Amino acid sequence: MRDTWQHAAGNLNWDTAPLVGGRRLLSDAPTGFDLVSPRDGSVLAVVADGTASDVDAAVRSARAAFESGAWSRRSAIERGRVLIRFGDLVEQNARELALRISLEMGKPVQDALGVELRAVAQCLRWYGQLADKLPGEAPEATPDALALVTREPAGVVGAVVPWNFPLTMTAWKLGPALVAGNSVVLKPAEQTTVSALRLGELALEAGLPAGVLNVIPGRGDTVGEALGRHPDVDVLTFTGSVGVGRRFLVYSAESNGKRVWPELGGKSASVILSDADVEAAGRSTAWGAFYNQGQMCSASSRMVVLRDVHDRAVEAAVAQAAAMAPADPLSGEAPSGAVVSERQLERILGFVERALADGATLAAGSTSRHDIGTGRGSYIAPIVLTGVRPEMEIAQVEVFGPVLSVIAVDSVDEAVAVANGTPFGLGAGLWTRDLSAAHLVSRRLRAGTVWVNCYEEGDMSMPFGGVGASGYGRDKGAHAVDKYTDVKSTWIELGA
Ligand code: NAP
Ligand code: MG
């Protein structure tokens, strides 16, 4: 398997030129930066360092496409057809895209293929199928008037996304924005630029008119900021960290007051009550903390467990950690891959060292990098920390790495207080066999999504997003279309 993937990797083209107006442009960027694969530290490409003038060209192209009506005024069912074809093309090109993602950010190639790209294709088709099923309203008015409440596309949407599920996050923005008739300018994360550019090319191949989707490579503080401040962007949809999300609110306030939809980080708790299936709870909570090398906004990074079942839950989590040791992402069977970069590796291990100094105990993993035999690449074996207290840094700050913190509690009320005791509110898990407890406790958990007796389950119909410091934007589901549309009221005097 590894040989097949490695052979295919050798044949990839890493063109990083911006995609504007339906063509790959030569950027006026004077320089570029190295795209380093965390798999082995090799340089995959030099990424064009996009500029504010690239962003301006892309926004102008998006605006012209929008005003032309080639997409914005096309019938909904035809827009739907293009999105469905786009999903089909993603499926047909999934192996190439998976390989790029795996090399770019280090996740196991079979996860990129079977989880991420499957989700991308599904998302694009789901919105495609929704296209002609979005109703307007005709409220009862007076007998001599017709009142209509309709939704109009907002115009030009800026989308800025992270690298952890690079194309899934992108599809969650593109599906609802495009189905509503908008034009989009996408700024991918630096690490995952080339997979995003390939996705943009597939959109064109599916029949999206030129200029409706533009992709600009480059850095956050140049391309991202230029998009956030552009006076002709109507909506800015963002997934990423809390700090950058809040910057977009400032960019908006200091430019044209564009609508900003932040979907930010988390410190999600999985709460295990005494009557739960404790082994399943421990295993699943650990899986939720370690999957994608722990680089999940909704990672179950805290296990909040009733003291009488603590030891059994920890035992199951430690076994899960052992089952998810990292290996070469291109092997085709690695349970875990590399974390995104050396910088991130050092940051994660720094959190763990401080947690140990604060009094936590290492139940699985180590404070050193994990060697997978090549001696290169950024690998960390899954880490379980016990004896964590709710106020410790490790229990309050998003680590974004494979680290599970276990917090023992003495009552259900204490469990709820600890679970809710961070500024975040993205996801929460709850494990119990008691139907009433499942309802009562899940209502009290402050989170955009609560998973009962599972973690990270769901489908496209379920909105995803948070409360509090996790932001307020929602991706997925029909609700997401609202982010990219404006409500219009039309009152028609009938003169009867
Ligand atoms: P990040 O540092 O906030 O970056 C996200 C995006 O913003 C990237 O495209 C980045 O560009 C850009 N950016 C960085 N600095 C900027 C600036 N000053 N102005 C404008 N744009 C800027 O986050 P990340 O490290 O890529 O991703 C991890 C974070 O995403 C975590 O906090 C995670 O919880 C969150 N996340 C949330 C969700 C959700 O649905 N709620 C889902 C996935 C991830 P560069 O790459 O060029 O720096
Ligand atoms: Mg970044």
Side-chain angles (χ1 to χ4, degrees), residues 161-164 187 190 220 238-241 251 264-265 297 398 400:
V161 295
W163 45 262
N164 60 335
K187 186 259 180 260
E190 284 169 35
F238 173 77
T239 296
S241 61
Y251 301 155
L264 310 175
C297 50
E398 184 179 49
F400 227 57

Side-chain angles (χ1 to χ4, degrees), residues 303-326:
M303 178 195 286
V304 177
V305 57
L306 269 291
R307 206 175 296 276
D308 57 343
V309 293
H310 169 275
D311 293 356
R312 280 163 56 212
V314 168
E315 200 181 313
V318 167
Q320 185 65 27
M324 292 178 77

Side-chain angles (χ1 to χ4, degrees), residues 221-305:
D221 55 9
T222 49
V223 171
E225 178 162 353
L227 199 51
R229 289 187 182 279
H230 201 288
D232 203 28
V233 170
D234 299 292
V235 176
L236 194 298
T237 183
F238 173 77
T239 296
S241 61
V242 173
V244 176
R246 291 184 183 176
R247 275 175 188 249
F248 277 101
L249 295 169
V250 173
Y251 301 155
S252 164
E254 290 180 354
S255 58
N256 62 342
K258 61 180 66 64
R259 216 177 315 166
V260 176
W261 293 111
E263 283 146 62
L264 310 175
K267 193 71 200 177
S268 303
S270 176
V271 174
I272 305 177
L273 304 188
S274 301
D275 72 317
D277 177 344
V278 178
E279 280 68 36
R283 253 193 340 264
S284 170
T285 301
W287 176 87
F290 303 145
Y291 184 70
N292 211 41
Q293 299 66 249
Q295 301 162 135
M296 284 202 293
C297 50
S298 50
S300 45
S301 53
R302 296 180 299 151
M303 178 195 286
V304 177
V305 57

Side-chain angles (χ1 to χ4, degrees), residues 149-222:
V149 180
T150 52
R151 284 200 165 268
E152 308 261 315
V156 175
V157 173
V160 180
V161 295
W163 45 262
N164 60 335
F165 287 92
L167 297 191
T168 310
M169 297 301 110
T170 302
W172 286 5
K173 311 297 186 199
L174 293 184
L178 292 176
V179 80
N182 296 284
S183 295
V184 179
V185 178
L186 170 70
K187 186 259 180 260
E190 284 169 35
Q191 296 83 348
T192 47
T193 304
V194 185
S195 53
L197 284 161
R198 277 296 292 141
L199 191 71
E201 288 182 338
L202 294 177
L204 285 174
E205 203 178 316
L208 202 70
V212 176
L213 174 59
N214 307 275
V215 185
I216 305 294
R219 295 175 205 267
D221 55 9
T222 49

